[in-house]
Amino acid sequence: MTNHNEFLFAITTTIIFLVLVCVSIVVFVIQSRKKIFNKEIEKKDLQIQFQNEILERAILVQEEERKRIAQDLHDDISSKLIAISLNLHLLKSDKTKEEDKIEIINSISEINKKTIDTSRKIAHNLFPPVLEKFGLKAALDELINDYNKTKEVHITIYTEVLFKDFGTNLQLQIFRIIQELINNSIKHGKASKIELNFKTNNTINTCIYSDNGVGFNCKELNKTKGLGFSNVENRIQNIKGDYSINSEIGKGFQIKFTFKDE
């Protein structure tokens, strides 16, 4: 009888142990799934937050670009048209001497030429005609040549990438990235030398952009990041590229970004 009771006790104990083990496993699985679920929700929230930040920066950049274009139109085009209008009024006036009319006509001609040049510059900033006709390499060469003419900065470019095989949108995005980087190097970096190096490895292409400017502390990039660099960051993300930055105070600035063939 004693053996029978001991046997029943052992079976009961074993069953209780197994039940406790099963309950523990179920609780562990439920908690693990809950943690995974919470992490997924947290990941989704971070993705949504990140996308919202990108959207906000893109809107800010777009508004800044509109403001800049409006400023160019107001300051350059409008003022020149007003000057032409005033000169035309003098030209029509009976009080204006004949010898003065020649000078006025020359003035109108000169202002008109500057107005055309300015309008072309604005159109170039919106969409470079040379890019549409001859491709990215020609557009970059023209951009670099314009900067080099100023003698304030010397820019060199080396490339083994065949840009002509890319779609128009990708070429335009890369052009805007380089344009913004050059502007930042001159305006904020006070650079006198800039180098562009485009390399290719199968379908992955890399642009290595460097200058000899004042540089900055990379750890404080988020604190000093303005609309200019946010614009660069957004465009690199739009072409599904990655980037890395290397810079030190007094040692210039370098950025590497990748882009794929379309």
Side-chain angles (χ1 to χ4, degrees):
M1 186 71 178
T2 303
N3 291 335
H4 179 71
N5 290 335
E6 289 177 353
F7 177 73
L8 287 175
F9 178 77
I11 290 176
T12 303
T13 304
T14 302
I15 291 171
I16 292 172
F17 175 75
L18 291 173
V19 169
L20 289 173
V21 170
C22 290
V23 170
S24 299
I25 291 172
V26 170
V27 170
F28 175 76
V29 170
I30 291 173
Q31 288 180 341
S32 297
R33 288 185 174 179
K34 186 176 179 181
K35 287 180 180 179
I36 293 171
F37 182 71
N38 288 336
K39 285 183 178 179
E40 285 295 322
I41 291 176
E42 185 178 347
K43 184 179 177 181
K44 291 289 183 184
D45 288 341
L46 288 173
Q47 288 177 343
I48 292 171
Q49 182 180 351
F50 181 66
Q51 289 172 352
N52 287 336
E53 288 176 358
I54 291 175
L55 181 61
E56 287 177 4
R57 288 203 300 265
I59 291 172
L60 284 173
V61 169
Q62 186 182 54
E63 289 302 318
E64 192 69 18
E65 185 70 7
R66 287 177 177 174
K67 189 187 295 184
R68 184 188 62 77
I69 293 170
Q71 194 73 30
D72 287 345
L73 289 171
H74 179 269
D75 292 348
D76 292 331
I77 303 294
S78 295
S79 61
K80 287 179 175 64
L81 289 175
I82 290 170
I84 290 173
S85 178
L86 291 172
N87 277 285
L88 286 173
H89 179 73
L90 288 173
L91 196 62
K92 291 179 180 179
S93 175
D94 295 333
K95 297 179 181 180
T96 305
K97 298 177 181 179
E98 288 297 325
E99 58 268 24
D100 292 335
K101 288 184 178 181
I102 296 175
E103 186 179 345
I104 293 171
I105 291 172
N106 290 335
S107 175
I108 291 172
S109 178
E110 183 63 26
I111 296 171
N112 184 60
K113 181 179 178 298
K114 289 180 180 178
T115 305
I116 293 171
D117 290 340
T118 301
S119 63
R120 282 177 179 170
K121 181 181 175 182
I122 294 172
H124 186 279
N125 288 334
L126 291 172
F127 193 99
V130 69
L131 190 149
E132 186 176 19
K133 291 181 179 179
F134 305 108
L136 178 59
K137 181 58 168 61
L140 287 174
D141 286 341
E142 182 184 65
L143 178 70
I144 289 168
N145 187 49
D146 287 342
Y147 277 109
N148 286 342
K149 283 179 181 177
T150 65
K151 305 297 183 181
E152 294 181 5
V153 63
H154 181 70
I155 306 174
T156 54
I157 180 170
Y158 308 94
T159 179
E160 57 186 45
V161 179
L162 298 176
F163 298 116
K164 64 180 182 179
D165 297 333
F166 298 162
T168 303
N169 181 63
L170 178 57
Q171 293 190 51
L172 178 62
Q173 294 299 328
I174 295 171
F175 179 85
R176 292 300 183 214
I177 290 168
I178 300 303
Q179 190 179 40
E180 195 68 60
L181 287 172
I182 293 174
N183 287 339
N184 287 343
S185 290
I186 295 171
K187 183 177 179 182
H188 303 293
K190 312 301 181 186
S192 60
K193 290 183 181 179
I194 297 171
E195 184 175 298
L196 287 163
N197 197 340
F198 288 92
K199 297 182 177 182
T200 184
N201 182 13
N202 295 324
T203 59
I204 302 295
N205 307 291
T206 304
C207 173
I208 304 172
Y209 174 100
S210 56
D211 69 35
N212 67 340
V214 297
F216 56 86
N217 187 344
C218 287
K219 294 179 180 179
E220 299 181 354
L221 177 61
N222 289 329
K223 295 180 182 178
T224 58
K225 188 187 296 181
L227 285 175
F229 190 80
S230 294
N231 194 12
V232 170
E233 193 176 38
N234 289 336
R235 291 188 187 278
I236 292 174
Q237 289 167 351
N238 286 339
I239 59 177
K240 297 179 176 59
D242 297 313
Y243 73 91
S244 61
I245 290 175
N246 183 26
S247 182
E248 292 181 40
I249 295 175
K251 295 186 178 181
F253 164 80
Q254 183 183 85
I255 180 172
K256 297 180 183 179
F257 68 89
T258 60
F259 52 97
K260 294 182 179 180
D261 298 355
E262 287 186 336

